[in-house]
Amino acid sequence: MPSIIEKDALIIGGGIAGLWMLNRLRTQGYDVLLLEKNKLGSGQTIASQGMIHGGIKYALSGNLNTASEAIADMPEQWENCLAGTGDIDLSDTNILSKHYYMWPQNSLRSRFNAFLGSKALRGKVTKVGENNYPDFFQTHIKGPLYELKDIVLDVPSLLNSLSKKHQSNIKLFNCAKEWNIEKNAEGEFKSLTLKQDDETFIVRAKQIIISSGEGSKDFLKKLIPDEKLPNEMQMQLRPLQMTIVKHKHSDPIHVHCVADQLTATPEVTITSHKCKDGDTAWYLGGELAESGANRTEEEQIKVAKNKIGELFPWCDLSNARWHSFFINRAEALTKNGKRPETASIHQYLNISLCWPSKLTLAPDLGQQIINIFQGKNIPPSNYTNSDLDNLKFPGIATPPWDSMP
Ligand SMILES: Cc1cc2nc3c(=O)[nH]c(=O)nc-3n(C[C@H](O)[C@H](O)[C@H](O)COP(=O)(O)OP(=O)(O)OC[C@H]3O[C@@H](n4cnc5c(N)ncnc54)[C@H](O)[C@@H]3O)c2cc1C
């Protein structure tokens, strides 16, 4: 006999989106099950740089546009969560840096510096006095150097904070393998049948929430016939090639290195991470990663070595280990293929397709899902289900600098 499990919501995918929504819905009393096919965060989330930004990066294109406005409230919401006073308790998440720096290297070309010092950004960007430069930059750069209010988080510890109180609601299961979906006559999601070893579970849920990143497309295919799939439920992929430099220098750097042009993408965006073996990893994103999508791994490492050598000539990296890998950003389709500016949830009957667009925008996504449940008048149920004890908790993904060859 199959076990029948009744839930208010079934979430597919345990990256930042799925985990944030699980927390918000559980706090409102909803009975929720999250299924993850791999380890938590395995897709984009564990590969992210962990920056919670307030939009200044996007203001670099010259004006404070929709992207920077949508994101402006986010750092405060995260800070409340990190202090244990927000919608979700993240008080045990490690903060890698409370500031992010912006270093326009060509300080003589002042268009950029004038913008960073402009009235529009007052209070959001501070020029750092030379005596207060972070250790890594001390005496080495002429400046100027700017401090942004952005923070950098340790993503594995964030995933741990988001999952540890809900382990019995988070289960390892590959929804693309042994499973079957049942819909009602109107096409609404009714149940998902899972087979594991000799057991069969039928999970019924009022709402199914798809937060499977790049995997969403395959899952959606099983739920909505191609001809009925609304345009706004299409996905776009933006490929990146990220680079890791592993070495023994211990001074951390968290910096956008920006060239002379005002664009939303810094030349190189660097975050620093402590590796399990005690080494430091610099994780390199920004334009280097975007243009790197068109290079081979060898070419990317060559370009990265040249760029880092040019930026930090005083830093000896002769014993460093270099590694790069490809990863896609999976997002809602935009008209021009550019980055979406907001988090979004697309509804089709009782199916929600969720795109945070950025780690930073997870609180916005969390509020949107609560609004949907309240808007549909879905009351929290008092189900007394077995919690799928035979399915395991997936565990947390390993960050790329601890899994590099
Ligand atoms: C290299 C990189 C750096 C980034 N840096 C930043 C940053 O510094 N700051 C920022 O704000 N944003 C950043 N982002 C963006 C941010 O990481 C993403 O927007 C966000 O992590 C997406 O989260 P998600 O939960 O939607 O998807 P994902 O993290 O991709 O999670 C999807 C999950 O679904 C699971 N899954 C897939 N298919 C199935 C299935 N069939 N059944 C069950 N589970 C399934 C996957 O295993 C995965 O765990 C970065 C992105 C990348 C790629």
Side-chain angles (χ1 to χ4, degrees), residues 12-17 35-39 41-45 47-51 53 175 211-213 215 240 242 327 329 356-360:
I12 309 295
I16 187 71
L35 295 174
E36 165 57 48
K37 73 168 180 181
N38 210 317
K39 294 206 168 197
S42 294
Q44 301 156 85
T45 302
S48 86
Q49 293 191 280
M51 282 182 289
H53 35 82
C175 300
S211 54
S212 331
L240 300 171
M242 299 296 285
I327 179 138
R329 288 183 83 138
S357 303
K358 293 170 189 69
L359 196 76
T360 307

PDB file of all heavy atoms in Angstrom, residues 12-17 35-39 41-45 47-51 53 175 211-213 215 240 242 327 329 356-360, ligand 1:
ATOM      1  N   ILE A  12       9.970  21.887  -5.139  1.00  0.00           N
ATOM      2  CA  ILE A  12      10.939  21.059  -5.867  1.00  0.00           C
ATOM      3  C   ILE A  12      12.217  21.880  -6.064  1.00  0.00           C
ATOM      4  O   ILE A  12      12.247  22.819  -6.854  1.00  0.00           O
ATOM      5  CB  ILE A  12      10.386  20.618  -7.248  1.00  0.00           C
ATOM      6  CG1 ILE A  12       8.984  19.995  -7.124  1.00  0.00           C
ATOM      7  CG2 ILE A  12      11.355  19.670  -7.937  1.00  0.00           C
ATOM      8  CD1 ILE A  12       8.925  18.705  -6.354  1.00  0.00           C
ATOM      9  N   GLY A  13      13.267  21.514  -5.345  1.00  0.00           N
ATOM     10  CA  GLY A  13      14.566  22.196  -5.497  1.00  0.00           C
ATOM     11  C   GLY A  13      14.956  22.957  -4.242  1.00  0.00           C
ATOM     12  O   GLY A  13      14.204  23.795  -3.753  1.00  0.00           O
ATOM     13  N   GLY A  14      16.143  22.618  -3.716  1.00  0.00           N
ATOM     14  CA  GLY A  14      16.601  23.218  -2.447  1.00  0.00           C
ATOM     15  C   GLY A  14      17.818  24.094  -2.620  1.00  0.00           C
ATOM     16  O   GLY A  14      18.844  23.896  -1.982  1.00  0.00           O
ATOM     17  N   GLY A  15      17.705  25.104  -3.497  1.00  0.00           N
ATOM     18  CA  GLY A  15      18.692  26.188  -3.525  1.00  0.00           C
ATOM     19  C   GLY A  15      18.174  27.281  -2.605  1.00  0.00           C
ATOM     20  O   GLY A  15      17.280  27.049  -1.779  1.00  0.00           O
ATOM     21  N   ILE A  16      18.715  28.488  -2.758  1.00  0.00           N
ATOM     22  CA  ILE A  16      18.281  29.582  -1.889  1.00  0.00           C
ATOM     23  C   ILE A  16      16.767  29.818  -2.020  1.00  0.00           C
ATOM     24  O   ILE A  16      16.082  30.062  -1.020  1.00  0.00           O
ATOM     25  CB  ILE A  16      19.066  30.897  -2.184  1.00  0.00           C
ATOM     26  CG1 ILE A  16      18.731  31.994  -1.173  1.00  0.00           C
ATOM     27  CG2 ILE A  16      18.816  31.434  -3.584  1.00  0.00           C
ATOM     28  CD1 ILE A  16      19.264  31.784   0.170  1.00  0.00           C
ATOM     29  N   ALA A  17      16.230  29.699  -3.245  1.00  0.00           N
ATOM     30  CA  ALA A  17      14.815  30.010  -3.469  1.00  0.00           C
ATOM     31  C   ALA A  17      13.928  29.041  -2.686  1.00  0.00           C
ATOM     32  O   ALA A  17      13.074  29.459  -1.893  1.00  0.00           O
ATOM     33  CB  ALA A  17      14.493  29.955  -4.956  1.00  0.00           C
ATOM     34  N   LEU A  35      11.625  18.704  -1.852  1.00  0.00           N
ATOM     35  CA  LEU A  35      12.394  17.589  -2.410  1.00  0.00           C
ATOM     36  C   LEU A  35      13.589  18.132  -3.190  1.00  0.00           C
ATOM     37  O   LEU A  35      13.441  19.059  -3.992  1.00  0.00           O
ATOM     38  CB  LEU A  35      11.520  16.747  -3.340  1.00  0.00           C
ATOM     39  CG  LEU A  35      10.350  16.016  -2.672  1.00  0.00           C
ATOM     40  CD1 LEU A  35       9.473  15.331  -3.720  1.00  0.00           C
ATOM     41  CD2 LEU A  35      10.834  14.985  -1.650  1.00  0.00           C
ATOM     42  N   GLU A  36      14.755  17.579  -2.914  1.00  0.00           N
ATOM     43  CA  GLU A  36      15.993  18.020  -3.570  1.00  0.00           C
ATOM     44  C   GLU A  36      16.657  16.783  -4.175  1.00  0.00           C
ATOM     45  O   GLU A  36      16.731  15.743  -3.540  1.00  0.00           O
ATOM     46  CB  GLU A  36      16.909  18.708  -2.546  1.00  0.00           C
ATOM     47  CG  GLU A  36      18.352  18.901  -2.974  1.00  0.00           C
ATOM     48  CD  GLU A  36      18.542  19.694  -4.273  1.00  0.00           C
ATOM     49  OE1 GLU A  36      17.935  20.770  -4.420  1.00  0.00           O
ATOM     50  OE2 GLU A  36      19.302  19.206  -5.134  1.00  0.00           O
ATOM     51  N   LYS A  37      17.143  16.911  -5.413  1.00  0.00           N
ATOM     52  CA  LYS A  37      17.690  15.724  -6.087  1.00  0.00           C
ATOM     53  C   LYS A  37      19.163  15.485  -5.774  1.00  0.00           C
ATOM     54  O   LYS A  37      19.714  14.447  -6.089  1.00  0.00           O
ATOM     55  CB  LYS A  37      17.498  15.828  -7.596  1.00  0.00           C
ATOM     56  CG  LYS A  37      18.399  16.822  -8.285  1.00  0.00           C
ATOM     57  CD  LYS A  37      18.335  16.616  -9.783  1.00  0.00           C
ATOM     58  CE  LYS A  37      19.234  17.613 -10.484  1.00  0.00           C
ATOM     59  NZ  LYS A  37      19.229  17.501 -11.915  1.00  0.00           N
ATOM     60  N   ASN A  38      19.808  16.484  -5.207  1.00  0.00           N
ATOM     61  CA  ASN A  38      21.238  16.389  -4.990  1.00  0.00           C
ATOM     62  C   ASN A  38      21.486  16.870  -3.563  1.00  0.00           C
ATOM     63  O   ASN A  38      20.674  16.653  -2.700  1.00  0.00           O
ATOM     64  CB  ASN A  38      21.896  17.314  -6.015  1.00  0.00           C
ATOM     65  CG  ASN A  38      23.257  16.833  -6.434  1.00  0.00           C
ATOM     66  OD1 ASN A  38      24.028  16.410  -5.584  1.00  0.00           O
ATOM     67  ND2 ASN A  38      23.558  16.914  -7.708  1.00  0.00           N
ATOM     68  N   LYS A  39      22.590  17.614  -3.356  1.00  0.00           N
ATOM     69  CA  LYS A  39      22.741  18.235  -2.029  1.00  0.00           C
ATOM     70  C   LYS A  39      22.126  19.627  -2.085  1.00  0.00           C
ATOM     71  O   LYS A  39      22.021  20.227  -3.162  1.00  0.00           O
ATOM     72  CB  LYS A  39      24.218  18.315  -1.685  1.00  0.00           C
ATOM     73  CG  LYS A  39      24.791  16.921  -1.525  1.00  0.00           C
ATOM     74  CD  LYS A  39      25.978  16.891  -0.631  1.00  0.00           C
ATOM     75  CE  LYS A  39      26.264  15.436  -0.324  1.00  0.00           C
ATOM     76  NZ  LYS A  39      27.111  15.214   0.783  1.00  0.00           N
ATOM     77  N   GLY A  41      21.625  23.352  -2.369  1.00  0.00           N
ATOM     78  CA  GLY A  41      22.440  24.429  -2.933  1.00  0.00           C
ATOM     79  C   GLY A  41      23.258  24.017  -4.134  1.00  0.00           C
ATOM     80  O   GLY A  41      23.982  24.839  -4.704  1.00  0.00           O
ATOM     81  N   SER A  42      23.122  22.742  -4.551  1.00  0.00           N
ATOM     82  CA  SER A  42      24.007  22.188  -5.595  1.00  0.00           C
ATOM     83  C   SER A  42      24.111  22.965  -6.896  1.00  0.00           C
ATOM     84  O   SER A  42      25.062  22.781  -7.633  1.00  0.00           O
ATOM     85  CB  SER A  42      23.500  20.814  -6.031  1.00  0.00           C
ATOM     86  OG  SER A  42      23.611  19.945  -5.012  1.00  0.00           O
ATOM     87  N   GLY A  43      23.132  23.773  -7.193  1.00  0.00           N
ATOM     88  CA  GLY A  43      23.158  24.462  -8.488  1.00  0.00           C
ATOM     89  C   GLY A  43      23.914  25.775  -8.390  1.00  0.00           C
ATOM     90  O   GLY A  43      25.108  25.816  -8.065  1.00  0.00           O
ATOM     91  N   GLN A  44      23.196  26.853  -8.633  1.00  0.00           N
ATOM     92  CA  GLN A  44      23.834  28.179  -8.646  1.00  0.00           C
ATOM     93  C   GLN A  44      24.189  28.654  -7.241  1.00  0.00           C
ATOM     94  O   GLN A  44      25.167  29.373  -7.053  1.00  0.00           O
ATOM     95  CB  GLN A  44      22.872  29.211  -9.238  1.00  0.00           C
ATOM     96  CG  GLN A  44      22.424  28.907 -10.644  1.00  0.00           C
ATOM     97  CD  GLN A  44      21.091  29.580 -10.922  1.00  0.00           C
ATOM     98  OE1 GLN A  44      21.065  30.736 -11.284  1.00  0.00           O
ATOM     99  NE2 GLN A  44      19.995  28.873 -10.743  1.00  0.00           N
ATOM    100  N   THR A  45      23.385  28.238  -6.242  1.00  0.00           N
ATOM    101  CA  THR A  45      23.545  28.844  -4.917  1.00  0.00           C
ATOM    102  C   THR A  45      24.935  28.601  -4.336  1.00  0.00           C
ATOM    103  O   THR A  45      25.589  29.538  -3.868  1.00  0.00           O
ATOM    104  CB  THR A  45      22.424  28.337  -3.968  1.00  0.00           C
ATOM    105  OG1 THR A  45      21.164  28.680  -4.559  1.00  0.00           O
ATOM    106  CG2 THR A  45      22.530  28.955  -2.596  1.00  0.00           C
ATOM    107  N   ALA A  47      27.538  27.939  -5.925  1.00  0.00           N
ATOM    108  CA  ALA A  47      28.544  28.546  -6.822  1.00  0.00           C
ATOM    109  C   ALA A  47      28.546  30.068  -6.716  1.00  0.00           C
ATOM    110  O   ALA A  47      29.393  30.728  -7.295  1.00  0.00           O
ATOM    111  CB  ALA A  47      28.258  28.140  -8.259  1.00  0.00           C
ATOM    112  N   SER A  48      27.587  30.636  -5.964  1.00  0.00           N
ATOM    113  CA  SER A  48      27.486  32.099  -5.947  1.00  0.00           C
ATOM    114  C   SER A  48      28.604  32.696  -5.107  1.00  0.00           C
ATOM    115  O   SER A  48      29.265  31.996  -4.342  1.00  0.00           O
ATOM    116  CB  SER A  48      26.120  32.526  -5.416  1.00  0.00           C
ATOM    117  OG  SER A  48      26.156  32.589  -4.014  1.00  0.00           O
ATOM    118  N   GLN A  49      28.796  33.987  -5.235  1.00  0.00           N
ATOM    119  CA  GLN A  49      29.864  34.644  -4.476  1.00  0.00           C
ATOM    120  C   GLN A  49      29.378  35.096  -3.094  1.00  0.00           C
ATOM    121  O   GLN A  49      30.157  35.625  -2.319  1.00  0.00           O
ATOM    122  CB  GLN A  49      30.435  35.818  -5.268  1.00  0.00           C
ATOM    123  CG  GLN A  49      31.165  35.336  -6.523  1.00  0.00           C
ATOM    124  CD  GLN A  49      31.976  36.426  -7.194  1.00  0.00           C
ATOM    125  OE1 GLN A  49      31.434  37.247  -7.916  1.00  0.00           O
ATOM    126  NE2 GLN A  49      33.269  36.457  -6.945  1.00  0.00           N
ATOM    127  N   GLY A  50      28.100  34.903  -2.821  1.00  0.00           N
ATOM    128  CA  GLY A  50      27.577  35.209  -1.481  1.00  0.00           C
ATOM    129  C   GLY A  50      27.424  36.697  -1.194  1.00  0.00           C
ATOM    130  O   GLY A  50      27.287  37.085  -0.042  1.00  0.00           O
ATOM    131  N   MET A  51      27.437  37.518  -2.238  1.00  0.00           N
ATOM    132  CA  MET A  51      27.321  38.964  -2.009  1.00  0.00           C
ATOM    133  C   MET A  51      25.862  39.379  -1.913  1.00  0.00           C
ATOM    134  O   MET A  51      25.059  39.019  -2.774  1.00  0.00           O
ATOM    135  CB  MET A  51      27.942  39.734  -3.166  1.00  0.00           C
ATOM    136  CG  MET A  51      29.437  39.777  -3.108  1.00  0.00           C
ATOM    137  SD  MET A  51      30.039  40.749  -4.457  1.00  0.00           S
ATOM    138  CE  MET A  51      29.702  39.715  -5.813  1.00  0.00           C
ATOM    139  N   HIS A  53      23.974  42.490  -2.244  1.00  0.00           N
ATOM    140  CA  HIS A  53      24.273  43.864  -2.645  1.00  0.00           C
ATOM    141  C   HIS A  53      23.059  44.755  -2.682  1.00  0.00           C
ATOM    142  O   HIS A  53      21.943  44.315  -2.897  1.00  0.00           O
ATOM    143  CB  HIS A  53      25.091  43.936  -3.933  1.00  0.00           C
ATOM    144  CG  HIS A  53      24.778  42.895  -4.938  1.00  0.00           C
ATOM    145  ND1 HIS A  53      23.741  42.985  -5.784  1.00  0.00           N
ATOM    146  CD2 HIS A  53      25.395  41.720  -5.206  1.00  0.00           C
ATOM    147  CE1 HIS A  53      23.725  41.936  -6.552  1.00  0.00           C
ATOM    148  NE2 HIS A  53      24.706  41.142  -6.221  1.00  0.00           N
ATOM    149  N   CYS A 175      13.497  13.940  -8.546  1.00  0.00           N
ATOM    150  CA  CYS A 175      12.143  13.980  -9.108  1.00  0.00           C
ATOM    151  C   CYS A 175      12.113  13.699 -10.604  1.00  0.00           C
ATOM    152  O   CYS A 175      11.068  13.777 -11.223  1.00  0.00           O
ATOM    153  CB  CYS A 175      11.500  15.335  -8.856  1.00  0.00           C
ATOM    154  SG  CYS A 175      11.377  15.701  -7.129  1.00  0.00           S
ATOM    155  N   SER A 211      11.281  25.428  -7.830  1.00  0.00           N
ATOM    156  CA  SER A 211      12.447  26.305  -7.621  1.00  0.00           C
ATOM    157  C   SER A 211      13.676  25.459  -7.900  1.00  0.00           C
ATOM    158  O   SER A 211      14.556  25.328  -7.072  1.00  0.00           O
ATOM    159  CB  SER A 211      12.453  26.835  -6.182  1.00  0.00           C
ATOM    160  OG  SER A 211      12.379  25.754  -5.270  1.00  0.00           O
ATOM    161  N   SER A 212      13.694  24.861  -9.082  1.00  0.00           N
ATOM    162  CA  SER A 212      14.743  23.889  -9.407  1.00  0.00           C
ATOM    163  C   SER A 212      15.819  24.494 -10.304  1.00  0.00           C
ATOM    164  O   SER A 212      16.556  23.747 -10.966  1.00  0.00           O
ATOM    165  CB  SER A 212      14.145  22.657 -10.097  1.00  0.00           C
ATOM    166  OG  SER A 212      12.829  22.419  -9.706  1.00  0.00           O
ATOM    167  N   GLY A 213      15.919  25.808 -10.368  1.00  0.00           N
ATOM    168  CA  GLY A 213      16.953  26.452 -11.173  1.00  0.00           C
ATOM    169  C   GLY A 213      16.899  25.936 -12.606  1.00  0.00           C
ATOM    170  O   GLY A 213      15.819  25.874 -13.212  1.00  0.00           O
ATOM    171  N   GLY A 215      17.015  23.038 -13.632  1.00  0.00           N
ATOM    172  CA  GLY A 215      16.206  21.818 -13.739  1.00  0.00           C
ATOM    173  C   GLY A 215      14.714  22.103 -13.859  1.00  0.00           C
ATOM    174  O   GLY A 215      13.922  21.191 -14.109  1.00  0.00           O
ATOM    175  N   LEU A 240      28.517  31.416 -17.563  1.00  0.00           N
ATOM    176  CA  LEU A 240      29.685  32.048 -16.938  1.00  0.00           C
ATOM    177  C   LEU A 240      30.804  31.021 -16.859  1.00  0.00           C
ATOM    178  O   LEU A 240      30.537  29.818 -16.795  1.00  0.00           O
ATOM    179  CB  LEU A 240      29.360  32.447 -15.487  1.00  0.00           C
ATOM    180  CG  LEU A 240      28.225  33.427 -15.221  1.00  0.00           C
ATOM    181  CD1 LEU A 240      27.944  33.484 -13.725  1.00  0.00           C
ATOM    182  CD2 LEU A 240      28.574  34.803 -15.748  1.00  0.00           C
ATOM    183  N   MET A 242      33.660  30.701 -14.077  1.00  0.00           N
ATOM    184  CA  MET A 242      34.212  31.252 -12.834  1.00  0.00           C
ATOM    185  C   MET A 242      35.636  30.719 -12.643  1.00  0.00           C
ATOM    186  O   MET A 242      35.955  29.606 -13.068  1.00  0.00           O
ATOM    187  CB  MET A 242      33.354  30.845 -11.627  1.00  0.00           C
ATOM    188  CG  MET A 242      31.925  31.334 -11.668  1.00  0.00           C
ATOM    189  SD  MET A 242      31.768  33.125 -11.632  1.00  0.00           S
ATOM    190  CE  MET A 242      32.137  33.491  -9.909  1.00  0.00           C
ATOM    191  N   ILE A 327      29.366  27.492 -15.407  1.00  0.00           N
ATOM    192  CA  ILE A 327      28.069  27.385 -14.726  1.00  0.00           C
ATOM    193  C   ILE A 327      27.108  28.369 -15.373  1.00  0.00           C
ATOM    194  O   ILE A 327      27.529  29.435 -15.814  1.00  0.00           O
ATOM    195  CB  ILE A 327      28.202  27.625 -13.200  1.00  0.00           C
ATOM    196  CG1 ILE A 327      26.828  27.533 -12.517  1.00  0.00           C
ATOM    197  CG2 ILE A 327      28.812  28.988 -12.861  1.00  0.00           C
ATOM    198  CD1 ILE A 327      26.812  26.801 -11.239  1.00  0.00           C
ATOM    199  N   ARG A 329      23.712  30.822 -15.186  1.00  0.00           N
ATOM    200  CA  ARG A 329      22.689  31.472 -14.364  1.00  0.00           C
ATOM    201  C   ARG A 329      21.360  31.158 -15.036  1.00  0.00           C
ATOM    202  O   ARG A 329      21.202  31.371 -16.241  1.00  0.00           O
ATOM    203  CB  ARG A 329      22.918  32.980 -14.306  1.00  0.00           C
ATOM    204  CG  ARG A 329      24.113  33.333 -13.453  1.00  0.00           C
ATOM    205  CD  ARG A 329      24.305  34.814 -13.334  1.00  0.00           C
ATOM    206  NE  ARG A 329      23.466  35.361 -12.295  1.00  0.00           N
ATOM    207  CZ  ARG A 329      23.874  36.293 -11.427  1.00  0.00           C
ATOM    208  NH1 ARG A 329      25.092  36.783 -11.473  1.00  0.00           N
ATOM    209  NH2 ARG A 329      23.065  36.745 -10.494  1.00  0.00           N
ATOM    210  N   PRO A 356      14.569  33.620  -8.141  1.00  0.00           N
ATOM    211  CA  PRO A 356      15.044  34.716  -7.279  1.00  0.00           C
ATOM    212  C   PRO A 356      15.855  35.744  -8.070  1.00  0.00           C
ATOM    213  O   PRO A 356      15.977  36.884  -7.649  1.00  0.00           O
ATOM    214  CB  PRO A 356      15.928  34.000  -6.252  1.00  0.00           C
ATOM    215  CG  PRO A 356      16.348  32.725  -6.902  1.00  0.00           C
ATOM    216  CD  PRO A 356      15.255  32.351  -7.876  1.00  0.00           C
ATOM    217  N   SER A 357      16.412  35.343  -9.196  1.00  0.00           N
ATOM    218  CA  SER A 357      17.302  36.184 -10.034  1.00  0.00           C
ATOM    219  C   SER A 357      18.649  36.447  -9.371  1.00  0.00           C
ATOM    220  O   SER A 357      19.655  36.559 -10.050  1.00  0.00           O
ATOM    221  CB  SER A 357      16.681  37.518 -10.435  1.00  0.00           C
ATOM    222  OG  SER A 357      15.485  37.291 -11.119  1.00  0.00           O
ATOM    223  N   LYS A 358      18.630  36.620  -8.066  1.00  0.00           N
ATOM    224  CA  LYS A 358      19.869  36.827  -7.300  1.00  0.00           C
ATOM    225  C   LYS A 358      19.639  36.268  -5.906  1.00  0.00           C
ATOM    226  O   LYS A 358      18.523  36.350  -5.396  1.00  0.00           O
ATOM    227  CB  LYS A 358      20.179  38.313  -7.122  1.00  0.00           C
ATOM    228  CG  LYS A 358      20.523  39.024  -8.377  1.00  0.00           C
ATOM    229  CD  LYS A 358      20.574  40.521  -8.164  1.00  0.00           C
ATOM    230  CE  LYS A 358      20.701  41.220  -9.499  1.00  0.00           C
ATOM    231  NZ  LYS A 358      19.520  41.133 -10.334  1.00  0.00           N
ATOM    232  N   LEU A 359      20.723  35.817  -5.308  1.00  0.00           N
ATOM    233  CA  LEU A 359      20.672  35.412  -3.899  1.00  0.00           C
ATOM    234  C   LEU A 359      20.074  36.558  -3.069  1.00  0.00           C
ATOM    235  O   LEU A 359      19.201  36.364  -2.220  1.00  0.00           O
ATOM    236  CB  LEU A 359      22.126  35.184  -3.482  1.00  0.00           C
ATOM    237  CG  LEU A 359      22.453  34.436  -2.230  1.00  0.00           C
ATOM    238  CD1 LEU A 359      22.253  32.953  -2.470  1.00  0.00           C
ATOM    239  CD2 LEU A 359      23.906  34.672  -1.840  1.00  0.00           C
ATOM    240  N   THR A 360      20.562  37.757  -3.342  1.00  0.00           N
ATOM    241  CA  THR A 360      20.149  38.967  -2.628  1.00  0.00           C
ATOM    242  C   THR A 360      18.634  39.135  -2.568  1.00  0.00           C
ATOM    243  O   THR A 360      18.102  39.650  -1.590  1.00  0.00           O
ATOM    244  CB  THR A 360      20.765  40.193  -3.358  1.00  0.00           C
ATOM    245  OG1 THR A 360      22.164  39.974  -3.481  1.00  0.00           O
ATOM    246  CG2 THR A 360      20.499  41.476  -2.640  1.00  0.00           C
TER     247      THR A 360
HETATM  248  C1  LIG B   1      28.682  31.970 -10.380  1.00  0.00           C
HETATM  249  C2  LIG B   1      27.511  32.696  -9.770  1.00  0.00           C
HETATM  250  C3  LIG B   1      27.742  33.708  -8.831  1.00  0.00           C
HETATM  251  C4  LIG B   1      26.655  34.370  -8.249  1.00  0.00           C
HETATM  252  N1  LIG B   1      26.891  35.308  -7.282  1.00  0.00           N
HETATM  253  C5  LIG B   1      25.850  35.944  -6.715  1.00  0.00           C
HETATM  254  C6  LIG B   1      26.086  36.883  -5.664  1.00  0.00           C
HETATM  255  O1  LIG B   1      27.219  37.096  -5.210  1.00  0.00           O
HETATM  256  N2  LIG B   1      25.015  37.544  -5.135  1.00  0.00           N
HETATM  257  C7  LIG B   1      23.747  37.327  -5.601  1.00  0.00           C
HETATM  258  O2  LIG B   1      22.830  37.974  -5.103  1.00  0.00           O
HETATM  259  N3  LIG B   1      23.481  36.394  -6.562  1.00  0.00           N
HETATM  260  C8  LIG B   1      24.497  35.702  -7.113  1.00  0.00           C
HETATM  261  N4  LIG B   1      24.271  34.750  -8.079  1.00  0.00           N
HETATM  262  C9  LIG B   1      22.882  34.420  -8.436  1.00  0.00           C
HETATM  263  C10 LIG B   1      22.303  33.435  -7.424  1.00  0.00           C
HETATM  264  O3  LIG B   1      23.285  32.508  -7.035  1.00  0.00           O
HETATM  265  C11 LIG B   1      21.095  32.716  -8.025  1.00  0.00           C
HETATM  266  O4  LIG B   1      20.150  33.661  -8.475  1.00  0.00           O
HETATM  267  C12 LIG B   1      20.417  31.820  -7.002  1.00  0.00           C
HETATM  268  O5  LIG B   1      21.349  31.027  -6.300  1.00  0.00           O
HETATM  269  C13 LIG B   1      19.413  30.903  -7.684  1.00  0.00           C
HETATM  270  O6  LIG B   1      18.865  30.078  -6.688  1.00  0.00           O
HETATM  271  P1  LIG B   1      17.784  28.956  -7.024  1.00  0.00           P
HETATM  272  O7  LIG B   1      17.386  28.378  -5.730  1.00  0.00           O
HETATM  273  O8  LIG B   1      16.747  29.521  -7.923  1.00  0.00           O
HETATM  274  O9  LIG B   1      18.546  27.904  -7.956  1.00  0.00           O
HETATM  275  P2  LIG B   1      19.705  26.866  -7.645  1.00  0.00           P
HETATM  276  O10 LIG B   1      20.656  27.372  -6.651  1.00  0.00           O
HETATM  277  O11 LIG B   1      20.263  26.504  -8.981  1.00  0.00           O
HETATM  278  O12 LIG B   1      18.968  25.648  -6.982  1.00  0.00           O
HETATM  279  C14 LIG B   1      18.158  24.732  -7.698  1.00  0.00           C
HETATM  280  C15 LIG B   1      18.123  23.422  -6.928  1.00  0.00           C
HETATM  281  O13 LIG B   1      17.140  22.571  -7.526  1.00  0.00           O
HETATM  282  C16 LIG B   1      17.654  21.254  -7.551  1.00  0.00           C
HETATM  283  N5  LIG B   1      16.934  20.513  -8.593  1.00  0.00           N
HETATM  284  C17 LIG B   1      17.029  20.659  -9.943  1.00  0.00           C
HETATM  285  N6  LIG B   1      16.199  19.794 -10.570  1.00  0.00           N
HETATM  286  C18 LIG B   1      15.566  19.075  -9.606  1.00  0.00           C
HETATM  287  C19 LIG B   1      14.618  18.024  -9.623  1.00  0.00           C
HETATM  288  N7  LIG B   1      14.131  17.513 -10.757  1.00  0.00           N
HETATM  289  N8  LIG B   1      14.194  17.510  -8.435  1.00  0.00           N
HETATM  290  C20 LIG B   1      14.672  18.005  -7.259  1.00  0.00           C
HETATM  291  N9  LIG B   1      15.591  18.995  -7.195  1.00  0.00           N
HETATM  292  C21 LIG B   1      16.020  19.528  -8.355  1.00  0.00           C
HETATM  293  C22 LIG B   1      19.140  21.450  -7.830  1.00  0.00           C
HETATM  294  O14 LIG B   1      19.894  20.307  -7.436  1.00  0.00           O
HETATM  295  C23 LIG B   1      19.455  22.677  -6.958  1.00  0.00           C
HETATM  296  O15 LIG B   1      19.828  22.332  -5.653  1.00  0.00           O
HETATM  297  C24 LIG B   1      25.328  34.052  -8.652  1.00  0.00           C
HETATM  298  C25 LIG B   1      25.098  33.034  -9.589  1.00  0.00           C
HETATM  299  C26 LIG B   1      26.177  32.352 -10.133  1.00  0.00           C
HETATM  300  C27 LIG B   1      25.918  31.237 -11.115  1.00  0.00           C
END
